[in-house]
């Protein structure tokens, strides 16, 4: 047998092992997604590149590593999101710790951060700060993993950022991410987004941002099973009869808590874009803009305070 033929046979045998791994989760995921998930697992847990996988490094795992990989695959077969299985998620160029109890950061939310950062850089009504006395003060309501608060804190110079949440799990995870990513200008605090009227923060913030619960119960039928069964419902759903429940409470607070020239940013439910806009107009906000995400959905909204 020639050297070339022997290499081809080895390649086929080794690729079959990798193929079996991703095929084992195809009942839940399409082939391309299943392959990407398994490659991510092998990269994060075992440091394998695509070249390593092709060259058969999967077959060189120790017995202990094989057992751990089998457990990971079993969790994936049950529909648990790979981010929870691995304990991390990439967001806006950084890796955040995540676990059940917080939403998995989405690319659409990173687009919202990019919009805010662009506005802050261009100084659209936002006072740029260079020291504690005139810092850009940013509030992230319903902070979850802290991905928005930390991203803005690290990317916007001269900023002081606060993240609020009601979930004890979320607060613990967000605080852990602050330490993990060395975001010393970000602090995480307990606050109920539906009880903001009880606070007296007139003119405190330059920017308020929120990605609050906005999916109506009636929309559950169209959602992925792994999201419904594993991500926290408290961070996802609102009653069908109150789709703007969180938006209204946050906007009412922002109408007084924002500095003059400040801005309120929301990630929104596209099907309620018109209603969200009208609600903001009714509260006196100006220059209301809606921005589409990469999928062409009306996903982000900005409103200014005069």
């Amino acid at each position: 047998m020639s050297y070339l033929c022997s290499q081809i046979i080895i390649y086929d045998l080794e690729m079959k092992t990798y193929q079996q791994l991703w095929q084992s989760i195809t009942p839940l995921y399409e082939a391309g997604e299943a392959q990407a998930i398994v490659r991510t697992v092998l990269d994060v847990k075992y440091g394998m590149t695509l070249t390593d996988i092709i060259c058969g490094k999967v077959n060189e795992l120790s017995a202990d590593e094989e057992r751990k990989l089998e457990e990971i695959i079993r969790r994936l077969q049950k529909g648990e999101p790979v981010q929870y299985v691995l304990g991390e998620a990439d967001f806006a160029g950084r890796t955040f710790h995540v676990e059940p109890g917080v939403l998995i950061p989405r690319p659409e939310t990173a687009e919202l951060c990019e919009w805010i950062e662009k506005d802050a850089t261009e100084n659209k009504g936002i006072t740029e700060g260079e020291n504690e006395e005139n810092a850009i003060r940013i509030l992230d309501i319903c902070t979850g993993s802290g991905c928005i608060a930390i991203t803005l804190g690290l990317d916007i110079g001269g900023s002081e950022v606060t993240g609020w949440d009601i979930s004890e799990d979320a607060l613990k995870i967000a605080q852990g991410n602050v330490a993990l990513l060395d975001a010393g200008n970000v602090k995480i605090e307990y606050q109920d987004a539906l009880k903001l009227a009880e606070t007296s923060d007139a003119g405190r913030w330059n920017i308020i941002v929120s990605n609050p619960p906005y999916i109506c119960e009636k929309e559950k039928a169209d959602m992925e099973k792994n999201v419904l069964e594993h991500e926290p419902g408290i961070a996802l759903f609102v009653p069908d009869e109150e789709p703007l429940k969180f938006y209204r409470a946050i906007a009412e607070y922002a109408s007084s808590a924002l500095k003059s020239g400040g801005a309120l940013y929301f990630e929104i439910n596209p099907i309620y874009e018109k209603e969200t806009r009208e609600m903001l107009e009714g509260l006196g906000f100006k220059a209301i803009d809606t921005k589409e995400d990469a999928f062409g959905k009306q996903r982000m909204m900005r409103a200014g305070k005069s």
Side-chain angles (χ1 to χ4, degrees), residues 184-258:
N185 61 331
V186 179
K187 59 183 178 180
I188 306 298
E189 299 175 346
Y190 175 91
Q191 181 60 257
D192 187 341
L194 298 178
K195 295 183 178 179
L196 298 177
E198 299 175 6
T199 66
S200 55
D201 290 333
R204 180 179 178 185
W205 312 101
N206 298 97
I207 297 171
I208 296 177
V209 56
S210 184
N211 176 20
Y214 62 67
I215 301 172
C216 291
E217 294 285 339
K218 64 185 178 184
E219 298 179 75
K220 283 185 176 181
D222 299 323
M223 295 179 65
E224 297 290 341
K225 184 178 179 181
N226 61 344
V227 175
L228 288 172
E229 293 184 353
H230 296 280
E231 297 199 53
I234 189 175
L236 288 169
F237 299 110
V238 290
D240 291 343
E241 64 274 13
E242 292 185 277
L244 303 185
K245 180 178 181 178
F246 284 88
Y247 293 102
R248 183 173 297 280
I250 293 167
E252 288 175 349
Y253 169 76
S255 65
S256 64
L258 278 171

Side-chain angles (χ1 to χ4, degrees), residues 60-162:
E60 298 177 10
L61 295 175
S62 67
D64 184 56
E65 289 172 330
E66 285 183 358
R67 284 193 294 271
K68 290 178 179 177
L69 180 57
E70 289 172 1
E71 175 58 27
I72 288 172
I73 295 299
R74 280 195 292 270
R75 292 174 66 181
L76 293 172
Q77 288 172 335
K78 294 177 181 178
E80 189 173 352
V82 66
Q83 293 90 344
Y84 288 158
V85 174
L86 298 177
E88 64 180 51
D90 291 333
F91 181 83
R94 297 182 179 89
T95 300
F96 287 76
H97 172 66
V98 294
E99 58 187 74
V102 295
L103 289 182
I104 296 166
R106 261 66 174 191
E108 306 94 292
T109 308
E111 293 180 53
L112 176 61
C113 290
E114 290 174 4
W115 192 14
I116 297 170
E117 291 165 12
K118 183 174 184 291
D119 284 353
T121 300
E122 295 177 355
N123 200 25
K124 290 186 176 180
I126 300 167
T127 303
E128 187 169 354
E130 297 179 355
N131 53 52
E132 186 176 348
E133 284 70 33
N134 63 350
I136 301 175
R137 291 187 168 83
I138 302 172
L139 173 64
D140 173 27
I141 301 175
C142 303
T143 196
S145 66
C147 62
I148 293 176
I150 294 168
T151 298
L152 297 180
L154 293 177
D155 290 349
I156 298 177
S159 62
E160 292 180 354
V161 186
T162 301

Side-chain angles (χ1 to χ4, degrees), residues 5 9 24 107 170 233 238 254:
C5 288
I9 290 172
S24 70
V238 290

